[in-house]
């Protein structure tokens, strides 16, 4: 447009004044510094310092009040009931006591001694006891238990009592058919009444023969054995022989 007005294509400001560009740039820099940078620096310097940590310390709570003191103990005198005072009795008239006395004093009757004896004392002892006491004799020890009666074995000087009842053993039929024979030796303990109390096998041949011999020996009876005037049990040995017929 400027070229059309002037009628020429020359541009004197762009070509002939190169220093104007530098001036324009410097002016813009100064304006920006005054308008933008300086206020920002001022605002930054005036900002308050922020505390990195804030703590609040509260006071500790007050201690609880002390417990109330216990109530005072009532004295025995305050709890006791007042003793009623007896009413004055008129002269010349008898009245019954209001309360029964808790303690009665024993009065000694004429002709008796006021000193009482001790329970468990010795008849004819001194009234009131003796200083240090009297040691009573210790009771005698109990008698020892009687010694157990041990059966004696007959033989030698002790002869075998008389046999008053004898039973022969029964030969078992099964043992006879199987031709089981032999000798069975038994030991028997006879009581004070002469009866056989127990039997044991000293020599066995077969269980059938052993049982038959024991059954027969348990039925034997003897006269009691008398030693020093007292019946005594005794031990004897009996032999049975089984033979097949």
């Amino acid at each position: 447009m400027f070229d059309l007005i002037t009628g020429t294509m020359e541009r004197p400001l762009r070509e002939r004044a190169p220093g104007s560009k530098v001036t324009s740039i410097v002016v813009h820099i100064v304006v920006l510094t005054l308008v933008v940078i300086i206020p920002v620096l001022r605002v930054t310097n005036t900002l308050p310092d922020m505390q990195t940590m804030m703590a609040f310390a509260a006071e500790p709570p007050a201690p609880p009040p002390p417990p109330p003191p216990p109530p005072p103990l009532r004295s025995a005198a305050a709890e006791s009931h007042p003793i009623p005072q007896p009413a004055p009795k008129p002269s010349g008239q008898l009245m019954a006591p209001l309360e029964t006395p808790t303690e009665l004093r024993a009065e000694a009757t004429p002709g008796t001694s006021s000193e009482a004896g001790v329970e468990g004392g010795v008849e004819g002892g001194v009234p009131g006891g003796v200083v240090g006491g009297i040691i009573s004799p210790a009771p005698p020890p109990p008698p020892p238990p009687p010694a157990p009666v041990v059966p004696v074995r007959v033989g030698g000087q002790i002869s075998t009592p008389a046999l008053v009842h004898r039973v022969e053993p029964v030969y078992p039929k099964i043992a006879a058919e199987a031709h089981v024979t032999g000798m069975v030796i038994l030991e028997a303990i006879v009581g004070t009444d002469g009866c056989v109390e127990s039997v044991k096998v000293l020599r066995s041949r077969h269980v059938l023969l052993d049982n038959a011999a024991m059954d027969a020996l348990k039925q034997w009876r003897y006269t009691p054995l008398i030693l020093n005037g007292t019946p005594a049990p005794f031990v004897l040995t009996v032999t049975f022989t089984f033979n097949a017929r």
Side-chain angles (χ1 to χ4, degrees):
M1 182 183 290
F2 184 76
D3 294 338
L4 294 176
I5 295 173
T6 58
T8 180
M9 296 299 292
E10 298 180 358
R11 299 178 180 177
L13 294 177
R14 179 177 299 179
E15 297 178 0
R16 298 177 182 180
S20 60
K21 296 181 179 180
V22 177
T23 304
S24 176
I25 293 172
V26 172
V27 171
H28 281 82
I29 292 174
V30 173
V31 172
L32 290 175
T33 303
L34 296 176
V35 174
V36 178
I37 297 176
I38 293 176
V40 169
L41 294 177
R42 287 182 179 179
V43 172
T44 304
N45 293 333
T46 58
L47 290 176
D49 297 335
M50 298 298 294
Q51 297 181 0
T52 58
M53 180 177 181
M54 300 181 64
F56 297 93
E59 297 182 357
L73 299 177
R74 297 182 179 180
S75 60
E79 293 183 357
S80 61
H81 300 286
I83 301 175
Q85 299 293 334
K89 60 180 180 178
S91 60
Q93 184 179 0
L94 299 178
M95 296 183 63
L98 298 179
E99 293 184 357
T100 304
T102 57
E103 296 182 0
L104 297 179
R105 183 179 62 183
E107 298 181 356
T109 57
T112 60
S113 174
S114 61
E115 297 181 356
V118 181
E119 183 179 358
V122 181
E123 184 179 358
V126 180
V130 179
V131 178
I134 299 176
I135 301 176
S136 59
V149 180
V150 179
V152 296
R153 185 173 294 275
V154 295
Q157 297 181 357
I158 301 176
S159 59
T160 304
L163 179 61
V164 296
H165 182 70
R166 179 186 179 96
V167 176
E168 295 297 333
V170 178
Y171 200 167
K173 184 178 180 180
I174 299 177
E177 292 177 354
H179 302 284
V180 178
T181 61
M183 183 183 299
V184 178
I185 301 176
L186 305 177
E187 182 182 80
I189 297 178
V190 183
T192 56
D193 57 350
C195 298
V196 177
E197 296 180 349
S198 62
V199 178
K200 70 176 182 178
V201 180
L202 298 181
R203 179 180 176 182
S204 175
R205 176 63 184 88
H206 192 275
V207 63
L208 297 175
L209 304 182
D210 296 344
N211 293 336
M214 292 174 63
D215 293 341
L217 184 56
K218 289 179 181 179
Q219 302 180 44
W220 289 17
R221 298 292 181 268
Y222 289 86
T223 57
L225 176 65
I226 306 299
L227 293 178
N228 299 326
T230 304
F234 60 93
V235 181
L236 53 84
T237 303
V238 180
T239 302
F240 292 100
T241 303
F242 295 88
N243 295 320
R245 299 177 182 177

